[in-house]
Amino acid sequence: MNSQPFRRDTHRGEVLRFRFDGRDLEGCRGDTLASALLANGVRTVATSVGLGRPRGVFAAWTEEPSAIVQIEHPFPEPMLQATTVELYDGLVARGLRGKGRLSDEPDPARYDAVHAHCDVLVVGAGPAGLRAAPSAAASGARVILADDRPAAGGCLLDTTETIDGVSGAGWAAAALAELESRPEALVLRRTSVFGYYDDNYLVAVERRGERAYSRERVWRIRARRVVLATGAHERSIAFADNDRPGVMLAGAARAYANRYGVLPGRRAVVFTTNDSAYAAARDLADAGVEIAAVVDARPGGGRGWDGSEVLAGHVVTGVGGQDAVTSVTVSRRDASGGGAGSGREIEADLLLVSGGWNPVVHLFGQAGGRLRYDEELGTFVPGAVRQAVEVAGAARGVFTLEGCLADGAEAGDRAAKAAGFRPAPPGPVSDTARPAPVARGAVSQADVPRADVPRAAVPRAETVAALPAEHVWLVPADDYRSHFVDLQRDVTVADVMRATGAGLRSVEHVKRYTTAGTAHDQGKTSGVLTSGIVAHALGVDVAELGTTTFRAPYVPVSFATLAGRDRGALHDPVRVTSLHEWHVARGAPFENVGQWKRPWYYPRPGEDMETAVLRECAAVREGAGAMDASTLGKIDVQGPDAAELLDRLYTNLMSTLKVGAIRYGVMCRPDGMVFDDGTVIRLAEDRFLLTTTTGNAAAVLDWMEEWLQTEWPSLKVYCTSVTEQWATVALAGPDSRDVLAGLAPGLAVGNESFPFMTWRDARVAGIEARVCRISFSGELAYEINVSAWDGLALWEAVQATGVVTPYGTETMHVLRAEKGYPIVGQDTDGTVTPADLGMDWVVSRKKADFLGKRSYTRAGNLRPDRKHLVGLLPVDEDRLLPEGAHLVAASVLPEPPVPTLGHVTSSYRSAALGRTFALALVSGGRERLGERLHVPVGDEMIPVTVTRHVLYDPEGARRDG
């Protein structure tokens, strides 16, 4: 078996066997997969997603951007950081080559969740957190300490520094034991707090191991006060080939040597802008790594190193090797900050980089905190915040060990005091001073504030004064294509400069243009570096730019963990119509629309979806078809002010509607954009029935109630959902009148006696029904509404005529798209007005006001270059455009950035048109009729012709039969 040639200490405990990329290897208990791979001399761990470049271990924990792996056993999991995967016997993994692989087997693991409340939540068990938590707990406060590592101590386990004369690891273990002895303290190991929300509500995920009853657990914590002691991440520098396996953060290399007993290389060059890398070089040298040279960008160098050569005022300008570092090129730093001359090549298999330290402010940002740029530290530190939170230690820019210890204790005291407790006085803790244990869940000590239990005095740690750092973001060069900023996204300085060259000035815009900071690591090593390089490119101060927004989750969390035990259909109710079993018996696949199961199409033997839908479309256009429309939202509106309410909500007048008549209407939000559409049926002077889209029914009812209860409480109106009380059969096609006449002999169905957009009560197939002449297909059509109890009987009677073809939602979509009828949520995206849809006729000019009118009439919402709904006809009549595809003017895709004119919203194959067609939102679309545009699909540029959005029967001649 492998002897772990890079293991510093071969007696570190139990040997674990694992397999990586088909090789059988050994590691030790306490290893991560990354440390075990380094111990075995594995340098290349993965291949970058975008450029296919070899990548190795770059960091030591959650900030890792490169070493991404796939676990194959015991259960396949993709996109995991090798630095956070704890090694266990029998682990099987492989380096990621591009994308990962999801399992096709059910996950056998269990996941659960728990709610917790505390007075003080401390996030992070480094030196500051291990002082904050005991200080707060000494006051009697209920304290939760959450730390994402298996062992507490943070950076103390990565260094050789001592506290009060004992090792950092020993001091951390003692501090944790003291905290755990307190009855109101809870320590959560392997627990990452990944979300910080309003009112001090935080969410964390606890990794409990492969053999635990529940593999992972979500903690939902409500805290009176929070102390963020989340530490800092080391920052890289952008220089040529800085992504090569063997290039590593200096602090990470120090951690592998001290925490894991692993040498990340044999001969190293250290490239730094600050003194922290000198301590790393010293520890690595003591561990057996040869330090070939320390390259310091500062003209005078640093302090704390008496070993090998220090090249002050120098920078690294290149890295030799293909799959791993073999040499480092160093040059004297010129006036521009770049390298002067050809440089000096130094043989090395390891390059350690330190460009400074960034406080981990992600959770602080999620809490609504503002950041400020600290010129001395060269990074962003916490500023003002609206929530009850303290920040301590390196997380707020305190970068000395003794400073972190003192800062943590003070933060813990402040948090306890703010939570209503008296901080304990400093002093030694005796056994007699400790409180007697009580059962967890007993009366909170918060009811009895006390300060009689002293907390430990502030410990002493050796502090070496550091020389000022120099803030270097990149090493200037002529070619920036291999100067990497975000290693996971393969984003280079050249990409950033292309973005700024295209006119982008905001780091938020640059982030989206380049994708820097959008990967699983959430910009932990690339975020501030990106800001620095954007500032360099624009010639502005970093403080002016700020950082991108920090969003949850702070670390990747699986969907299975978030779902917990209530997974699948058990949590969200499944809604079916009274005709559902008939659809099932006919073999219809179902489309999920909201919570509803709607029949998608009805395949006959030997038919695929396309064939079945074309047949159903032809049946409706040429004969008669029936669809189960029971899922349409239905809201009964009653009261003396019902008409007034509807006038305020809809863009057109509803108060003028006569009893027995129907009117199509559109609702807008206050910004003038389309919210929903449907019909309004007037049943009586004070009673209406509204229909809504299937997926928006609950939202529309909520919308109406919100305005009634908060803005218009004087209106006497009652709104009731009756969606499930009615079954609706849509009967459509040129033969539908004859079918209805046969089913309802007592109903006069002629055009004059039963005109379009009216309703009649009648007996249909012997069942009391409300029949509405409404069409969503452009054909002569009726919607027959009966009690849900009678829905199946009505449907079977319609089918028993022998001349009616059942059709599903896909056919409905094709039919309505041929007529240019938009579907809210598919052909709209929250930025579309009625006029954009070609429906300015639905906006009344007689009404003084309606919800959204002021915004709708703004000049910006009436511009001719707004996106309009248009039709698209591919030049190749058999080519089906993908929905969501963009449209461009150029026939050959130019270099980015490429301005898009809009996107395809609906795309179908039409039996009536004998070809494919699409609907799209296109900038200035109505002015582009007849124009040739192109749709990029992969490497192809598909030509299309812009046409009116009504492609079938534009005169509407077929509506009346």
Side-chain angles (χ1 to χ4, degrees), residues 184-389:
E184 290 287 359
L186 174 63
V187 176
L188 298 176
R189 296 174 176 83
R190 296 181 174 90
T191 302
S192 301
V193 178
F194 65 83
Y196 196 143
Y197 305 95
D198 287 347
D199 299 319
N200 271 15
Y201 175 66
L202 296 94
V203 184
V205 59
E206 178 187 8
R207 300 175 301 280
R208 311 187 73 216
E210 298 298 330
R211 295 179 176 86
Y213 177 76
S214 61
R215 184 182 181 200
E216 292 186 348
R217 171 176 290 167
V218 171
W219 285 81
R220 298 183 173 96
I221 304 170
R222 185 76 70 176
R224 288 187 179 180
R225 305 292 298 188
V226 174
V227 177
L228 297 178
T230 45
H233 291 145
E234 196 165 16
R235 186 169 66 230
S236 183
I237 303 169
F239 54 87
D241 294 319
N242 60 331
D243 67 327
R244 188 88 71 220
V247 178
M248 184 180 292
L249 294 173
R254 191 183 192 190
Y256 287 114
N258 292 323
R259 183 188 288 258
Y260 301 107
V262 171
L263 304 182
R266 300 293 189 194
R267 178 178 167 86
V269 171
V270 180
F271 179 26
T272 187
T273 64
N274 64 92
D275 280 5
S276 70
Y278 287 83
R282 185 174 59 248
D283 282 4
L284 287 163
D286 292 343
V289 177
E290 180 186 355
I291 305 299
V294 175
V295 180
D296 197 323
R298 296 171 293 181
R303 177 182 293 166
W305 177 248
D306 54 4
S308 59
E309 181 181 16
V310 175
L311 299 174
H314 283 63
V315 291
V316 170
T317 55
V319 180
Q322 292 297 320
D323 294 333
V325 173
T326 58
S327 65
V328 178
T329 302
V330 179
S331 300
R332 181 169 296 281
R333 194 179 182 202
D334 62 20
S336 70
S342 59
R344 165 187 167 190
E345 188 174 4
I346 302 174
E347 288 188 8
D349 63 355
L350 184 63
L351 173 56
L352 307 181
V353 183
S354 180
W357 294 82
N358 298 325
V360 179
V361 293
H362 297 64
L363 292 176
F364 180 80
Q366 292 177 25
R370 294 182 177 276
L371 305 179
R372 62 177 180 83
Y373 186 74
D374 188 301
E375 292 287 350
E376 183 178 348
L377 298 177
T379 190
F380 292 90
V381 297
V385 66
R386 55 182 170 80
Q387 299 215 55
V389 58

Side-chain angles (χ1 to χ4, degrees), residues 120 122 127-141 143 175 178-179 182 227 405-417 421-426 429 450-451 453-459:
V120 178
V122 179
L130 285 175
R131 288 292 292 150
S135 294
S139 71
V143 174
E178 190 277 327
L179 177 65
R182 296 187 179 273
V227 177
L405 294 168
D407 202 46
E410 293 169 4
D413 284 347
R414 288 194 301 270
K417 184 177 181 181
F421 297 85
R422 292 198 305 273
V429 178
R450 63 182 188 203
V453 182
R455 58 174 169 83
V458 176

